[in-house]
Amino acid sequence: MGLSVRRIARFWLFCCLIAGVLVSCTTQPVILTGVVTDAYTGQPVVGATVTIGEQTLTTDDQGRFQTERWRPEDTLSLKAPAYEPLEMPLVDQPRVGKSGVLTVTITTALRPNVLSGTITDMYTGQPVGGAEVRIAGNDGMSAVTDESGRYTLTNVPEAFTVTVSAPQYAPVTEQVARVTVFDMRLRPNTLSGIVTNSYTGEAVAGAKVTLGAISATTDDTGRYLLRDVPAESGEITVTADGFASVTQPFTRTTTLDVALRPDTLFGQLIDATTGKPVPNAAIIATETLTSTAVAFVRINDSVEGRFRLPNLPERGFVQVLAPGYAKRVIPIEPGKMPDRIELEPFYVRGIYITAAVASVPSLVDKFLDLIDRTELNTLVIDIKSDLRDDLGVVYYDSQVPLARELGLSTPRVDFASILAKAKERGIYTIARVQLFSHDNALSDARPEWSIRLRSTGEVYADYPGPGIRYAYLDPTNQNVWDYNIALAVEAAQMGFDEINFDYIRFPDWFGPYSEFSEKLLFSEPIDPVTNPGRMYDVILEFMQRAHSAVNAAGAFMSIDVFGRVVNGPSLTIAQDMTRMGEFTDYICPMPYPSLWWGGLENIAVPVKFPYETIKIAVRNGGRQMMASYAKQRPWLQDHTDPWVPVVVEYGPVEVRAQIDATEEQPEAASGWILYDSANIYKGAFNGAVRPAP
């Protein structure tokens, strides 16, 4: 009985255990597990907060979480710093609510919603503080970088347009998607600096700084700022009034200081004797004493004698050519150029020799000695032959292309030696150039450049005596102009102080003016009856071109006119002292007493009265040129003309009388030159010129 009871008890205990196990099996909770990953990288999200009902969990280092305390009707909430929060109704998840499931696993991803990065300077790599990073289309979604160039934006969408901008940098806009780090290098788009005077270091205000299509102007402190500078390399140019411009390559830089070299001379010309301003002058700058001008300015009727010479070279010479004054040469010294230039009055007292005489050194020395021991200070020399057999041939080895091409020059005169001797003795030198007449050499080589007879097409010429022929070049033909100007410039560069153009006229005509155009043919229509003004204009146009070229070569220019022109304009030669005086430095009339055949004012036979004749001629010429740029300087007669109606032997007395008549009128004439075509000079060599002081 006892055994049975014990057995029954054990059986019921076993049944209870089995029942307990069975009950336990039917009520075991379903475990919810999950993995949270980064939606962009797939990496686990550690420390994410998981909320299910009243329960809060945290993901481990594998991004996992697990709980038994959940219900299918719960909502799973996920949060993590720098991620967009996520809520998931569990009922919507697979396997939730299925019978017999002991474990439900949820794998989900959080999308990062924070963007951060560093903004740096493209050129230097340094951080850019104060840059704005803005998300397009999201009002207020922007951030500003700190001093280290860093920024952070929250709640950013998965794909967006970001714009980065900063003062003095070019903005950048990019399309971005599924990133959490966005670094950007900004390109500086401004250029700033200071422009200074390279000599003094002082600021240059008003300088223009140009880069491509953009520019800026410096302020009173010399500072400038260029905005919106392009990325491409280029050239930057800095200019300022009174300074040489600077152009240099522009590359990756944000600051550029520039030193400008002053290249403009502001000055005033003063008469060294009177202290009065000099109103008329050409001021040039050359790199050497024998080169042509790289800078040139002319003042005309300047009340104060002031000038402005731009484009001055860094080294070289400033040369001042003022009619009536000695040329002033000033070496260019950076920062030391004078603003007041005194000019010494210069009164030419000259004597002329032919190219043939110049080809004989002993004869040249004779004239140099005469100049040395007397008041004479100037030697005039033909550079073209005056001999009938080679009339017009250039008497030195000219390098002018046309002279070489046509064989128009021959090395007969050693001008280098003559000029060196003259310079050593302080003698002023003038190169005389026959222009439209007395140049058979050019006319014969290029007859189409000459005046021609309409009837035959032959070259027109003067025949003043047996075996003498003076071909006449066409004053309207600019080939003739260019050739003679080239010779003049070459002579100036050889060292001549002045170039004198003779025969600067149309032919004289003693018949009816109507026959002039009927018989003569020019490169353009010329008619002294219907259009006399054009004839004057042709001469003036040549003079204007020649004057600039000769002055630019560092020499004065003079022209010769007939003696009768002192009384007014003359046709058909088309010479007018008043108008011609604007385009040369000196006008040299030839009022020789023996040539006034018809008398002069109240003098019936002028050749007998050299003093009175020249007195009147110089006075009248001075009146013609009273307001001119140029000065008058007459040729005086030191020869006897045996072929005139009344022959008077000219010697020291007659020559001296002419000199006195000229020098007594300094307001009308700025010197004189003695002329004798034979170069005998009975006056000069026998006491007409006074001993040197």
Side-chain angles (χ1 to χ4, degrees):
M1 176 78 181
L3 179 59
S4 297
V5 172
R6 286 194 298 270
R7 287 180 175 175
I8 292 171
R10 290 188 188 116
F11 173 77
W12 282 109
L13 177 62
F14 175 76
C15 287
C16 289
L17 288 173
I18 293 300
V21 170
L22 291 174
V23 172
S24 174
C25 289
T26 57
T27 61
Q28 181 179 356
V30 177
I31 299 173
L32 179 67
T33 63
V35 178
V36 181
T37 59
D38 186 297
Y40 296 167
T41 66
Q43 296 298 311
V45 177
V46 179
T49 300
V50 183
T51 303
I52 304 173
E54 301 296 327
Q55 182 182 199
T56 300
L57 305 173
T58 303
T59 58
D60 62 16
D61 56 3
Q62 298 298 314
R64 296 180 179 277
F65 67 90
Q66 179 175 313
T67 182
E68 299 175 352
R69 297 166 52 194
W70 66 281
R71 296 174 302 169
E73 61 270 24
D74 288 338
T75 296
L76 176 67
S77 297
L78 296 175
K79 292 182 180 180
Y83 288 89
E84 186 175 43
L86 179 65
E87 291 192 351
M88 302 171 55
L90 292 179
V91 71
D92 296 336
Q93 298 304 309
R95 302 182 67 188
V96 172
K98 289 186 177 181
S99 60
V101 176
L102 299 178
T103 302
V104 174
T105 301
I106 297 176
T107 301
T108 189
L110 290 180
R111 185 185 66 79
N113 70 345
V114 173
L115 182 70
S116 63
T118 303
I119 309 301
T120 56
D121 186 297
M122 180 182 292
Y123 295 167
T124 66
Q126 296 298 309
V128 177
E132 182 185 46
V133 183
R134 177 176 292 276
I135 302 299
N138 288 268
D139 294 340
M141 186 172 288
S142 65
V144 176
T145 58
D146 59 20
E147 293 181 355
S148 65
R150 294 196 58 79
Y151 73 92
T152 299
L153 280 170
T154 59
N155 300 320
V156 299
E158 182 173 356
F160 51 88
T161 299
V162 61
T163 298
V164 184
S165 60
Q168 302 186 5
Y169 288 88
V172 176
T173 298
E174 285 195 15
Q175 301 296 321
V176 178
R178 300 177 65 85
V179 297
T180 58
V181 176
F182 180 75
D183 297 332
M184 175 56 64
R185 295 190 306 158
L186 292 184
R187 179 183 63 80
N189 70 343
T190 64
L191 179 67
S192 62
I194 302 176
V195 179
T196 56
N197 183 316
S198 64
Y199 293 161
T200 66
E202 297 176 344
V204 177
K208 186 176 182 180
V209 183
T210 303
L211 176 62
I214 61 174
S215 64
T217 302
T218 57
D219 60 18
D220 291 341
T221 67
R223 297 181 180 277
Y224 72 90
L225 174 63
L226 282 175
R227 303 180 187 276
D228 300 323
V229 173
E232 300 80 11
S233 298
E235 286 188 335
I236 187 166
T237 300
V238 184
T239 59
D241 188 30
F243 294 84
S245 63
V246 170
T247 298
Q248 63 185 65
F250 168 75
T251 52
R252 297 161 62 100
T253 185
T254 58
T255 59
L256 180 65
D257 296 336
V258 178
L260 296 182
R261 175 181 62 83
D263 76 337
T264 300
L265 178 61
F266 298 89
Q268 182 181 29
L269 304 181
I270 299 295
D271 185 307
T273 301
T274 66
K276 295 181 179 179
V278 176
N280 301 318
I283 305 97
I284 68 171
T286 59
E287 294 180 339
T288 69
L289 287 176
T290 59
S291 60
T292 56
V294 295
F296 186 118
V297 68
R298 192 185 301 281
I299 58 171
N300 197 334
D301 292 328
S302 172
V303 174
E304 297 182 340
R306 297 190 181 277
F307 68 90
R308 176 182 181 274
L309 180 64
N311 303 319
L312 212 63
E314 191 166 2
R315 298 288 178 183
F317 301 89
V318 168
Q319 303 183 52
V320 182
L321 300 137
Y325 294 88
K327 182 172 76 171
R328 180 75 186 275
V329 178
I330 305 168
I332 296 174
E333 298 183 27
K336 297 181 180 179
M337 295 302 294
D339 56 6
R340 178 185 170 99
I341 300 175
E342 294 188 347
L343 303 179
E344 294 290 341
F346 182 64
Y347 194 90
V348 165
R349 297 177 173 89
I351 194 166
Y352 155 81
I353 64 173
T354 66
V357 169
S359 67
V360 182
S362 60
L363 294 179
V364 175
D365 289 341
K366 177 183 176 183
F367 281 92
L368 293 176
D369 290 341
L370 175 67
I371 296 171
D372 254 354
R373 68 174 186 266
T374 66
E375 62 182 324
L376 293 171
N377 58 16
T378 299
L379 182 64
V380 183
I381 312 175
D382 281 337
I383 64 172
K384 293 180 181 179
S385 171
D386 63 320
L387 300 175
R388 67 183 68 181
D389 293 336
D390 61 357
L391 192 64
V393 171
V394 179
Y395 261 35
Y396 64 91
D397 187 18
S398 174
Q399 300 304 302
V400 170
L402 188 65
R404 298 183 68 81
E405 175 190 344
L406 302 179
L408 300 180
S409 69
T410 181
R412 292 282 299 275
V413 179
D414 185 358
F415 279 118
S417 174
I418 295 174
L419 292 171
K421 291 178 180 179
K423 290 279 188 290
E424 184 178 351
R425 302 183 189 207
I427 296 172
Y428 188 79
T429 54
I430 301 176
R432 179 172 170 267
V433 180
Q434 299 106 297
L435 190 55
F436 299 126
S437 181
H438 289 60
D439 191 347
N440 292 359
L442 180 60
S443 178
D444 292 344
R446 285 287 186 269
E448 67 274 17
W449 295 355
S450 302
I451 303 173
R452 284 164 291 161
L453 295 171
R454 287 185 181 273
S455 59
T456 65
E458 296 177 356
V459 171
Y460 172 76
D462 289 328
Y463 296 92
I468 302 176
R469 169 180 172 268
Y470 298 144
Y472 224 105
L473 292 160
D474 182 356
T476 68
N477 191 299
Q478 297 196 18
N479 294 302
V480 179
W481 296 12
D482 294 340
Y483 170 65
N484 284 281
I485 290 173
L487 288 177
V489 169
E490 186 174 57
Q493 292 176 332
M494 283 194 296
F496 278 99
D497 298 302
E498 180 178 318
I499 308 301
N500 170 254
F501 287 109
D502 199 3
Y503 302 101
I504 182 168
R505 58 181 176 85
F506 284 83
D508 211 351
W509 197 259
F510 300 102
Y513 282 179
S514 60
E515 294 182 354
F516 190 89
S517 59
E518 292 172 359
K519 294 185 176 182
L520 302 183
L521 182 64
F522 299 84
S523 298
E524 65 172 85
I526 293 295
D527 190 338
V529 177
T530 62
N531 191 11
R534 178 55 190 158
M535 299 177 70
Y536 288 103
D537 289 343
V538 166
I539 301 300
L540 295 177
E541 287 168 12
F542 165 80
M543 289 180 60
Q544 187 172 13
R545 185 187 300 181
H547 194 204
S548 294
V550 169
N551 281 174
F556 290 95
M557 180 177 127
S558 60
I559 63 164
D560 299 336
V561 298
F562 274 4
R564 67 173 182 258
V565 182
V566 300
N567 292 330
S570 180
L571 282 177
T572 57
I573 59 174
Q575 291 182 340
D576 179 349
M577 289 180 69
T578 300
R579 295 178 66 190
M580 296 170 91
E582 294 306 309
F583 305 111
T584 188
D585 298 305
Y586 297 96
I587 293 183
C588 305
M590 299 174 285
Y592 305 137
S594 63
L595 297 185
W596 292 98
W597 300 350
L600 177 64
E601 295 187 3
N602 61 342
I603 304 175
V605 187
V607 70
K608 293 183 178 180
F609 301 95
Y611 174 84
E612 292 80 2
T613 299
I614 296 301
K615 189 85 170 180
I616 293 170
V618 170
R619 180 199 66 199
N620 291 354
R623 289 173 178 171
Q624 295 285 326
M625 298 182 62
M626 187 177 301
S628 293
Y629 178 92
K631 299 286 187 182
Q632 179 183 212
R633 184 208 294 147
W635 289 90
L636 303 180
Q637 180 175 341
D638 193 349
H639 59 276
T640 300
D641 284 328
W643 41 268
V644 296
V646 178
V647 178
V648 175
E649 188 75 22
Y650 265 51
V653 174
E654 291 76 17
V655 174
R656 187 69 232 177
Q658 296 173 80
I659 294 173
D660 290 342
T662 303
E663 293 193 343
E664 288 171 6
Q665 303 180 82
E667 75 288 348
S670 183
W672 45 264
I673 303 173
L674 301 180
Y675 179 78
D676 176 8
S677 62
N679 290 182
I680 296 173
Y681 293 105
K682 292 181 178 179
F685 280 105
N686 292 287
V689 289
R690 293 175 178 148

